[in-house]
Amino acid sequence: TVDINGSAFKSNYNGHTIENGVVNLTGVADNENIKQGVFTIGNGATVKSTGEFRPNHDCTFNLKNGGSFSTDVVLCIPFRYGNSSFIMDGGTFTSSATQTYTGGYSVNIGYVWNNNTVWADNSAKLIMNNGSVFNVTQGTLCFGRAKEHEKKVNLKVDVAVTNSSIVVSKGQIILSNNDNAWITDNAKSYVKVVFGPDSHITTGQIYADGIYPTPSVIFDGATILMDGSSTVRRI
């Protein structure tokens, strides 16, 4: 078991695979100290975040072969700007966060803002397969969000779930949640979610709140359990 802050996490694990241990990310991990990198959590490894977790720029997080990541703080990826990916191949993510962030929610895949006219084009991906589990126990899961009252940006969010589960126990899944005030070019911005074969989605509701960036959701062989009730729909 290792206790480590954001800067040390990047210097030790960027480009490497964490296996067979627990990494407690106790300090702030945000745009100041995790700006770029590829981080892989593999067999027998768990990363736990108890400080702010908002990595910036181009970051990829791989959870594979039973590797797990848990957090009790707000997750924003990317935070501010960049092109970030959360790739799960037999991995587990758990959020117990109850807080929110300015204009955001407990878990935000695609949360951007631009206060200095750089990184006009941004993207976020969540790719799940091979029995992965994405578990949000308290708050809301949001795909596509921008901090208000900043300079305009573009944002592309892609979500693909196959043979895996998303469980949002008390909140809901939101696609978009913005207006066009912050979009530079809506033709270059979107939120696309595909719940594919053998995906299992449990949540209070799934909805698009707003039309910018253009949101869409496709159900293709997915099992949907709404509100934790016994009502199951295979779509």
Side-chain angles (χ1 to χ4, degrees):
T1 299
V2 177
D3 294 338
I4 203 167
N5 62 23
S7 297
F9 181 83
K10 178 178 179 179
S11 62
N12 280 277
Y13 302 122
N14 182 20
H16 301 288
T17 299
I18 307 170
E19 292 185 335
N20 298 319
V22 177
V23 177
N24 292 316
L25 191 53
T26 57
V28 173
D30 64 4
N31 57 293
E32 298 303 322
N33 50 40
I34 300 186
K35 289 187 175 182
Q36 290 177 313
V38 178
F39 307 93
T40 301
I41 306 169
N43 184 35
T46 299
V47 174
K48 298 179 180 180
S49 176
T50 58
E52 295 179 3
F53 192 77
R54 299 194 297 264
N56 198 12
H57 293 204
D58 296 344
C59 283
T60 297
F61 293 87
N62 298 308
L63 277 64
K64 65 179 187 178
N65 300 331
S68 66
F69 181 95
S70 65
T71 179
D72 60 7
V73 295
V74 173
L75 170 71
C76 298
I77 181 170
F79 177 65
R80 292 181 62 180
Y81 42 78
N83 301 285
S84 296
S85 299
F86 214 77
I87 312 298
M88 302 177 64
D89 184 9
T92 300
F93 169 83
T94 301
S95 167
S96 58
T98 58
Q99 318 96 310
T100 59
Y101 188 74
T102 306
Y105 295 88
S106 297
V107 181
N108 304 274
I109 305 296
Y111 177 94
V112 297
W113 55 284
N114 174 16
N115 63 350
N116 54 7
T117 67
V118 300
W119 290 84
D121 295 299
N122 307 272
S123 67
K125 294 181 179 180
L126 172 63
I127 311 297
M128 298 177 60
N129 58 42
N130 197 23
S132 297
V133 178
F134 198 101
N135 191 18
V136 180
T137 65
Q138 299 295 326
T140 287
L141 171 59
C142 182
F143 300 125
R145 184 64 176 153
K147 186 177 180 181
E148 299 174 353
H149 310 304
E150 300 291 348
K151 294 180 175 64
K152 291 187 175 185
V153 296
N154 292 319
L155 174 62
K156 297 178 180 180
V157 179
D158 291 281
V159 179
V161 183
T162 304
N163 189 30
S164 298
S165 299
I166 294 179
V167 180
V168 184
S169 301
K170 295 183 178 180
Q172 48 269 329
I173 297 174
I174 297 177
L175 284 70
S176 185
N177 195 353
N178 297 277
D179 56 42
N180 63 352
W182 61 272
I183 291 293
T184 302
D185 183 355
N186 193 49
K188 294 182 179 180
S189 299
Y190 60 77
V191 176
K192 295 180 180 179
V193 178
V194 179
F195 296 130
D198 295 318
S199 61
H200 294 259
I201 313 301
T202 302
T203 184
Q205 60 180 336
I206 303 170
Y207 70 98
D209 188 0
I211 61 174
Y212 301 97
T214 303
S216 67
V217 58
I218 295 173
F219 302 97
D220 181 11
T223 297
I224 311 299
L225 178 62
M226 306 301 290
D227 264 337
S229 69
S230 60
T231 304
V232 178
R233 298 189 64 191
R234 186 168 179 81
I235 305 175

